[in-house]
């Protein structure tokens, strides 16, 4: 297994919500790395909890990021969405396999590492850094603090 990935302030994109979610993804990836080294029934439970946490965070994060890019008229929006769809598909595959008892702890860790190394450090940095968000609507203020 590769060395665990760590959050760095250099990875900030300048949007508090997205930066917080990115930090959470690093934390979950570290947990997935530890889970990949575990064995037994407790490790299976840990895997299922992490898989659920990642599914919830990916869904929220991808939607927030796509909305941010759309609000800022990003020319790369469709390509960015396509990358998100790729990670959604990989996550769905892990969820389906887990539902029939195939626990792929290494696969879960690889998914988070691939996302953080390929998408966050390359695509997000190119598409998000330096963009200025539109004024938040009243309904979005709560998501900034959530």
């Amino acid at each position: 297994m590769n060395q665990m990935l760590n959050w760095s302030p250099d990875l900030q994109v300048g949007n508090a919500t997205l930066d917080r979610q990115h930090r959470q993804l690093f934390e979950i990836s570290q947990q997935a790395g530890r889970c990949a080294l575990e064995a037994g029934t407790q490790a299976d439970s840990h895997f299922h909890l992490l898989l659920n946490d990642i599914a919830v965070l990916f869904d929220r994060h991808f939607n927030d990021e796509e909305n941010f890019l759309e609000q800022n008229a990003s020319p790369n929006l469709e390509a960015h969405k396509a990358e998100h769809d790729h990670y959604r598909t990989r996550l769905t595959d892990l969820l389906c396999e887990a539902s029939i008892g195939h626990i792929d702890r290494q696969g879960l860790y690889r998914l988070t590492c691939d996302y953080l190394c390929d998408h966050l450090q390359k695509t997000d940095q190119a598409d998000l850094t330096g963009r200025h968000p539109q004024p938040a609507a009243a309904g979005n203020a709560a998501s900034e603090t959530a």
Side-chain angles (χ1 to χ4, degrees), residues 15 18 64-72 128 131 133:
N15 177 284
L18 299 178
D64 288 348
E65 197 168 85
E66 289 167 9
N67 288 336
F68 178 81
L69 289 168
E70 187 172 2
Q71 290 172 354
N72 286 280
L128 296 170
R131 292 197 179 270

Side-chain angles (χ1 to χ4, degrees), residues 47 94 97-98 102-110:
F47 168 84
L94 285 169
E97 289 294 313
H102 296 123
I103 307 300
D104 186 359
R105 288 188 278 285
Q106 288 288 332
L108 181 64
Y109 181 56
R110 276 191 308 274

